[in-house]
Amino acid sequence: MTVSSEPVFVSDGERFMPTVAAVGPWSADALQGSATAALLVRALEAHAASRDREVARLSFDFWRPAQRSAITLDFTMVRDGAKARTVAIEMVQDGKPVLRCTALLLRRGPMPALPAAQTMEAPRFPPPEAGTPVPAAASRMSPFFAGVDVRMARGQILEPGPAAAWLRLGRPLVDAELASPLAQVASAADLVAGISQWAHPSKLGFVNADLTINLRRAPRGDWMLLDAVTLPGDLGIGYAVGQLHDRDGAIGQCASSLLFEARG
């Protein structure tokens, strides 16, 4: 477990102030998508619209870089149905929308009986305690990532190619409050391209323009495994896709659209 008690965000009334622990690898003022995605999930879970509903899908649109300035959150009920409810939360900085999370909330109910072949869990990975710690250099990739506990289950985080990693945000998300399991999922899923880069980052960079998470059940615990691969196309775009697990097995999947940029 990481030892730092510095939170990613500090609350200020209805606003949130990012700390240095929210900063990503791009500049000293640009926030990591994992941090902002987790913050919006926290707001979603706290809203009355989430009561007695299960989160089936989270869709994030990253419109512009988030900065180290005050954050406010705007909530919109997009559609309220008996079986399906769609809500949107926008993150606003300096009067401009920066990020939007659209959530699909489904009515809870009993699961119909299914054939055994349709209810089998995906093969489980060894627990995070059996994983391989990442090199110290990887933990220094960004102030945010320095507060993430990582155990590799497959591949290497600093080498190109598919990889699977157990991830846990080990510092408080807001003030002294730790991230919920769902916020841990959002935080981990945003790293889907980061842990499975197609080429070494010194040669090929990327911009992730969105993130979609589909869940088959609510996550449990704080460790989340992301089994990821990046798939490029031939026109400078592609996507990264990952399977999500907690200690009890498969919980869902995620995908992120990518714009590739040559370096060096």
Side-chain angles (χ1 to χ4, degrees), residues 37-246:
L39 180 67
L40 267 62
V41 166
R42 176 185 180 273
L44 171 68
E45 292 184 291
H47 201 278
S50 296
R51 294 175 188 165
D52 300 320
R53 298 280 175 137
E54 288 296 314
V55 177
R57 187 193 71 227
L58 296 167
S59 298
F60 299 89
D61 291 299
F62 300 102
W63 287 324
R64 53 174 54 89
Q67 307 295 325
R68 282 196 67 188
S69 60
I71 293 169
T72 58
L73 302 176
D74 291 340
F75 179 90
T76 302
M77 179 71 74
V78 179
R79 179 185 180 274
D80 191 9
K83 297 181 179 180
R85 176 180 294 161
T86 303
V87 302
I89 300 176
E90 284 190 2
M91 174 176 149
V92 179
Q93 289 185 307
D94 300 322
K96 298 179 180 179
V98 173
L99 164 64
R100 179 182 62 191
C101 173
T102 304
L104 175 64
L105 310 173
L106 298 183
R107 184 191 66 192
R108 293 174 180 167
M111 174 60 69
L114 296 174
Q118 297 184 36
T119 59
M120 290 176 59
E121 290 277 324
R124 297 184 182 182
F125 286 82
E129 292 78 11
T132 304
V134 297
S139 296
R140 295 192 295 267
M141 288 192 296
S142 75
F144 175 83
F145 200 66
V148 177
D149 298 313
V150 186
R151 297 293 183 271
M152 299 305 300
R154 179 169 63 91
Q156 298 293 330
I157 198 167
L158 294 179
E159 297 179 6
W166 286 101
L167 302 158
R168 173 176 63 179
L169 179 56
R171 65 171 79 243
L173 178 59
V174 176
D175 299 332
E177 177 187 324
L178 296 177
S180 69
L182 188 60
Q184 291 280 8
V185 166
S187 175
D190 182 70
L191 298 169
V192 63
I195 70 167
S196 65
Q197 299 187 56
W198 181 51
H200 195 279
S202 64
K203 297 181 179 180
L204 186 70
F206 63 87
V207 174
N208 52 317
D210 69 353
L211 173 66
T212 299
I213 302 170
N214 293 98
L215 296 173
R216 57 192 282 190
R217 66 165 172 83
R220 296 187 280 266
D222 51 2
W223 281 101
M224 301 298 157
L225 183 132
L226 177 59
D227 184 14
V229 61
T230 294
L231 301 169
D234 58 0
L235 296 175
I237 64 173
Y239 65 90
V241 62
Q243 299 299 314
L244 294 162
H245 303 245
D246 60 16

